[in-house]
Amino acid sequence: VPLDPSYPVARLAEMARGAALPLVLVEATTRDRMRGPSSPPPAPVALSLDEDATLIAACPDEPPRSAVAPHNLAYVLFTSGSTGRPKGVAMPHAPLVNLMHWQFGDSRCGPGRRTLQYAPLAFDVSCQELFATLGRGGTLCLIGEEARRDPVALLEHLRAHAVERVFMPFVALQQMVEVAVARDLLPSGLREVITAGEQLQVGGALVEFFRRL
């Protein structure tokens, strides 16, 4: 269950209660975000990846035994709550694995490719970015929030890290291609663009962007 530390503390507490989380992984700078307002127990235990590094390093490192089956949950993502109370959407392993098998077979990018981790972890597309890349021995190229929202910085990031694949909503893609064409900032290593969630509008900048690539 990904918890975005930029969310209001009350919402984080509500998500933790709704998903009945026994444990939350935090960093020292985000630990206070999980303490939240006074609320009925049980509150999740916060394990700090940096402050508790010595404790974590002392744990066994052999592969854990697992009885996970296709119907077990892979993750729970919460809706934005724009129409009321945020609701947790539960995703089992089976459909996610099916999606990955399709992605592996249909992708124009073979194993070991470089993919931009563009989507925040609280959005389901991030799971596609993660598993479609790591599941084929690829590399995830991380990007900061400011660069993610700045088309020029985004294009320079794609060029500097030789990114070969991006997953982007159309609005962000449109902004990026307009700047790329106008300023001749083409990410020459790009081989595959996946866009969804919004209507695709094939305009002049988009056509010119792919023509130049």
Side-chain angles (χ1 to χ4, degrees):
V1 182
L3 301 172
D4 190 329
S6 68
Y7 287 174
V9 170
R11 181 177 177 188
L12 291 172
E14 178 64 23
M15 291 166 67
R17 283 196 299 269
L21 300 181
L23 176 72
V24 176
L25 301 180
V26 300
E27 293 178 322
T29 56
T30 59
R31 183 187 289 275
D32 288 344
R33 305 289 298 164
M34 287 313 304
R35 287 177 181 160
S38 57
S39 58
V45 173
L47 178 66
S48 176
L49 296 175
D50 44 4
E51 293 179 324
D52 299 324
T54 302
L55 174 65
I56 295 170
C59 292
D61 58 4
E62 68 268 11
R65 295 181 179 181
S66 174
V68 171
H71 64 272
N72 291 133
L73 290 182
Y75 58 80
V76 174
L77 292 177
F78 279 79
T79 64
S80 63
S82 57
T83 59
R85 183 177 177 180
K87 293 171 281 295
V89 178
M91 175 64 70
H93 280 264
L96 184 59
V97 170
N98 288 342
L99 176 62
M100 291 304 100
H101 276 292
W102 170 80
Q103 186 81 54
F104 296 159
D106 193 68
S107 176
R108 304 314 191 258
C109 286
R113 300 295 187 167
R114 302 175 66 82
T115 300
L116 181 69
Q117 179 69 40
Y118 181 82
L121 291 179
F123 289 88
D124 58 354
V125 176
S126 67
C127 298
Q128 194 171 5
E129 292 171 330
L130 282 164
F131 300 128
T133 303
L134 301 183
R136 299 207 79 188
T139 299
L140 278 171
C141 301
L142 307 183
I143 188 169
E145 186 64 19
E146 289 187 11
R148 191 174 75 87
R149 296 178 179 275
D150 180 345
V152 173
L154 173 59
L155 286 163
E156 291 175 345
H157 192 83
L158 295 178
R159 288 156 58 99
H161 295 276
V163 171
E164 298 167 277
R165 177 170 61 186
V166 295
F167 295 75
M168 300 180 73
F170 177 70
V171 169
L173 176 62
Q174 179 67 23
Q175 291 175 342
M176 184 185 76
V177 301
E178 287 177 352
V179 172
V181 170
R183 302 196 182 194
D184 199 26
L185 283 174
L186 290 174
S188 57
L190 197 59
R191 293 291 176 268
E192 186 171 64
V193 175
I194 296 96
T195 184
E198 299 167 299
Q199 181 182 3
L200 176 64
Q201 299 178 33
V202 183
L206 191 69
V207 173
E208 180 64 13
F209 177 79
F210 284 106
R211 187 190 68 79
R212 293 189 190 181
L213 286 176

